[in-house]
Amino acid sequence: MESSGNLANDPLWREMLETGFLGDFPVSYRDVVDSTNVIAMDMARSGAPTGTVVVAGSQTSGKGRLGRKWLSPPGSGLYFSIILRPRLALDDLSRITLAAGVAVCQALEATTGLSPRLKWPNDLLLNGKKFCGILTETAGISSPDSIPVIVGIGMNVLNAKSSMPADLQGKVTSLFEEGETVYGKGVLLEECVARVLGQVDVLEKGDFNAIIREFDRRDAIKGKHCYWLTPAGAVVSGVSLGVDERGVLHIRDNQGRVSEVISGDINQKKP
Ligand code: BTN
């Protein structure tokens, strides 16, 4: 089934294009960019206010985690980046990644009734297939008080299965495919931004445990067999024990050894 966005049915998106605001959030919308994360980082360095959102209709060089590309065709997807300057210790900035994943899940639960699950650190899945990814990037550290952090979110909203690359079919999905509904991108965007800012607030108040609890409730692989592709390229196989109070993932191999995962990639199929 093919589906495309329809502005007439998406008043918030239209309002964003007309006013440069989505609710209370200033939005910089561009039809085509290389990467909203790159634009947002440049804007942050030039002093754009915290909470500014950069939204694109499509990206020519959308960035994914671990140097991957994020396919960003026009029309079907939501591609945006939020400028943050969190009042957090440097060592705690990585917590934003888990907080953003929880926030986007909550936003989608509230607006679509769907129940996304999280694959550490911040892939969102529906029926075991990825439809949303988050890339958090930090600027060079000059003044720890005001380090810009960019949270970039890519979401397959209206993509039809037939339009997805053949090698990804079975691995990726969209809200449209899972919910059989043409969701308004404006509502999704506004709710996601509000929830991300809300969860960053929770972090700033020191309640990372609340975020870990919310992550744990939605953990897609806890108790399941998985493979950890380490940054050095080794593959560790075992059962995920979930995340601890620091946000570190634990994997127990079949000899009972437990690995602490702070980077790399988790897969349920052998990489
Ligand atoms: C991943 O799952 O690998 C993360 C994907 C993040 C993609 C989004 S799209 C908006 C923002 N701009 C980018 O270049 N990347 C992020």
Side-chain angles (χ1 to χ4, degrees):
M1 201 176 352
E2 195 55 57
S3 157
S4 62
N6 178 353
L7 277 186
N9 295 331
D10 200 347
L12 273 181
W13 191 265
R14 201 177 52 223
E15 185 186 314
M16 171 193 84
L17 296 178
E18 285 168 5
T19 64
F21 276 89
L22 192 70
D24 293 338
F25 311 116
V27 176
S28 171
Y29 175 85
R30 328 268 170 111
D31 262 339
V32 185
V33 297
D34 48 1
S35 155
T36 55
N37 267 29
V38 171
I39 307 264
M41 188 61 86
D42 286 348
M43 288 174 63
R45 287 193 172 117
S46 309
T50 300
T52 299
V53 187
V54 179
V55 186
S58 66
Q59 300 182 115
T60 53
S61 306
K63 299 196 285 179
R65 282 185 69 235
L66 309 173
R68 297 186 188 123
K69 289 194 166 145
W70 185 260
L71 282 182
S72 313
S76 46
L78 196 48
Y79 319 109
F80 64 102
S81 301
I82 310 169
I83 298 175
L84 303 173
R85 290 184 186 79
R87 293 184 302 276
L88 291 172
L90 273 183
D91 286 349
D92 292 343
L93 289 181
S94 62
R95 297 179 173 190
I96 292 174
T97 293
L98 299 186
V102 165
V104 176
C105 280
Q106 291 174 335
L108 294 173
E109 288 158 10
T111 52
T112 68
L114 295 169
S115 301
R117 311 293 298 273
L118 284 159
K119 180 165 80 68
W120 186 94
N122 52 7
D123 284 352
L124 273 76
L125 314 180
L126 283 166
N127 288 324
K129 291 179 269 183
K130 178 165 173 172
F131 71 98
C132 178
I134 303 174
L135 178 66
T136 306
E137 296 186 291
T138 309
I141 295 152
S142 47
S143 146
D145 286 344
S146 59
I147 298 170
V149 174
I150 306 301
V151 175
I153 300 176
M155 191 183 296
N156 299 336
V157 178
L158 301 168
N159 315 57
K161 190 174 174 190
S162 56
S163 71
M164 295 174 191
D167 58 323
L168 293 182
Q169 285 184 19
K171 291 188 198 156
V172 300
T173 191
S174 70
L175 293 180
F176 172 69
E177 283 295 338
E178 302 304 321
E180 297 180 345
T181 303
V182 177
Y183 299 102
K185 290 201 281 184
V187 176
L188 299 174
L189 178 60
E190 187 181 36
E191 193 70 22
C192 284
V193 174
R195 299 268 180 170
V196 169
L197 295 176
Q199 290 300 338
V200 171
D201 214 40
V202 172
L203 278 183
E204 290 179 333
K205 292 192 170 112
D207 198 0
F208 188 42
N209 276 340
I211 287 161
I212 294 296
R213 278 197 303 276
E214 293 296 314
F215 189 98
D216 190 64
R217 288 204 307 121
R218 299 171 178 85
D219 190 333
I221 56 154
K222 187 174 179 183
K224 294 190 179 154
H225 188 267
C226 64
Y227 297 91
W228 170 36
L229 181 61
T230 73
V235 177
V236 174
S237 89
V239 172
S240 167
L241 305 177
V243 290
D244 68 13
E245 73 289 347
R246 299 164 299 155
V248 173
L249 180 71
H250 290 230
I251 295 179
R252 189 180 55 223
D253 69 15
N254 55 15
Q255 269 118 39
R257 289 180 301 229
V258 175
S259 302
E260 293 199 344
V261 180
I262 54 166
S263 57
D265 213 13
I266 300 295
N267 289 289
Q268 286 202 261
K269 295 203 175 110
K270 197 165 182 176

